[in-house]
């Protein structure tokens, strides 16, 4: 609960002096328990279970354990997010601008990508937007382009966490939403002949 990024099973295993397999099993059990799916195994320690339940189920907790962005983290349950958010934000409404969202989308789908390439795709200078996204921890430097020497950017694990996905491979496919691409396969097939 106190670390600033999801904890891997390996890191938790090292901290608890347990094997990774044991930690992964325990994490899966905790995830189910927090979601209200508890089942007492015949050899389970009866004293460790809530005596108010019949051992087959329990009410979901106000928080949940999720495996996101390569690690585990505790989140408030979705139905309580607005209430918790009210306490956390206390009037802060620092949403991303349309320009920041567009720039973030280009970086997410084209990463690693240079600032110049993002500017070319968007048709505007993105220097200040890239600085903002970097300051917010959504993108990071991923080295330099060997040909041009330009700094390349990629999304961070914090971005994945905020999106609720495990990797950029889980981002929605854009091609079904692009207009005028009917018959594009035939065009490319004709070029190969």
């Amino acid at each position: 609960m106190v670390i600033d990024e999801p904890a891997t099973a390996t890191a938790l295993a090292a901290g608890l002096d347990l094997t990774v397999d044991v930690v992964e099993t325990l994490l899966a059990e905790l995830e189910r328990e927090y979601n209200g799916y508890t089942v007492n195994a015949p050899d389970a320690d009866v004293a460790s279970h809530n005596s108010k339940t019949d051992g087959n189920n329990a009410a979901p907790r106000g928080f949940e354990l999720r495996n996101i962005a390569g690690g585990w983290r505790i989140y408030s349950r979705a139905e309580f997010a607005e209430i918790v958010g009210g306490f956390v934000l206390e009037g802060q409404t620092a949403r991303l601008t349309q320009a920041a969202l567009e720039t973030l989308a280009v970086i997410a789908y084209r990463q690693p990508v240079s600032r110049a390439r993002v500017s070319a795709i968007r048709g505007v200078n993105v220097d200040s937007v890239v600085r903002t996204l970097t300051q917010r921890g959504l993108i990071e430097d991923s080295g330099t382009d060997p040909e041009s020497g330009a700094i390349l950017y990629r999304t961070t694990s914090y971005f994945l966490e905020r999106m609720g996905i495990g990797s950029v491979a889980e981002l929605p496919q854009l091609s079904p939403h692009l207009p005028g691409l009917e018959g594009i396969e035939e065009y490319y097939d004709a070029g190969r002949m």
Side-chain angles (χ1 to χ4, degrees), residues 56 111 127 146 168 193:
N56 293 325
Q111 64 186 308
D127 291 350
V168 291
M193 294 182 164

Side-chain angles (χ1 to χ4, degrees), residues 109 159 163 165 167-177:
Y109 281 97
F159 166 79
M163 292 294 294
I165 58 176
S167 73
V168 291
E170 294 177 35
L171 286 170
Q173 293 297 311
L174 293 179
S175 54
H177 305 287

Side-chain angles (χ1 to χ4, degrees), residues 19-151:
T19 67
V20 174
D21 289 340
V22 168
V23 168
E24 287 175 344
T25 300
L26 292 170
L27 287 167
E29 288 175 9
L30 281 174
E31 182 180 30
R32 290 184 49 78
E33 179 182 332
Y34 294 165
N35 288 332
Y37 303 108
T38 57
V39 176
N40 289 344
D43 59 346
D45 181 5
V46 177
S48 69
H49 292 292
N50 185 346
S51 62
K52 295 178 184 176
T53 66
D54 63 4
N56 293 325
N57 58 29
R61 307 274 176 95
F63 54 90
E64 59 190 353
L65 183 64
R66 290 190 217 156
N67 186 359
I68 289 184
W72 292 85
R73 192 166 203 168
I74 295 176
Y75 290 88
S76 57
R77 192 162 295 286
E79 54 264 30
F80 303 118
E82 188 174 325
I83 297 167
V84 173
F87 284 104
V88 173
L89 296 177
E90 291 187 26
Q92 296 178 21
T93 56
R95 295 180 180 255
L96 292 175
T97 64
Q98 185 67 30
L101 289 172
E102 291 172 6
T103 301
L104 184 57
V106 171
I107 293 170
Y109 281 97
R110 304 286 292 203
Q111 64 186 308
V113 63
S114 69
R115 206 180 319 199
R117 181 73 177 135
V118 175
S119 291
I121 292 169
R122 290 207 52 238
V124 296
N125 186 320
V126 296
D127 291 350
S128 65
V129 176
V130 167
R131 273 193 300 279
T132 299
L133 294 172
T134 303
Q135 288 171 346
R136 291 198 180 187
L138 295 168
I139 63 171
E140 64 187 0
D141 179 334
S142 85
T144 57
D145 184 342
E147 292 179 16
S148 67
I151 296 172

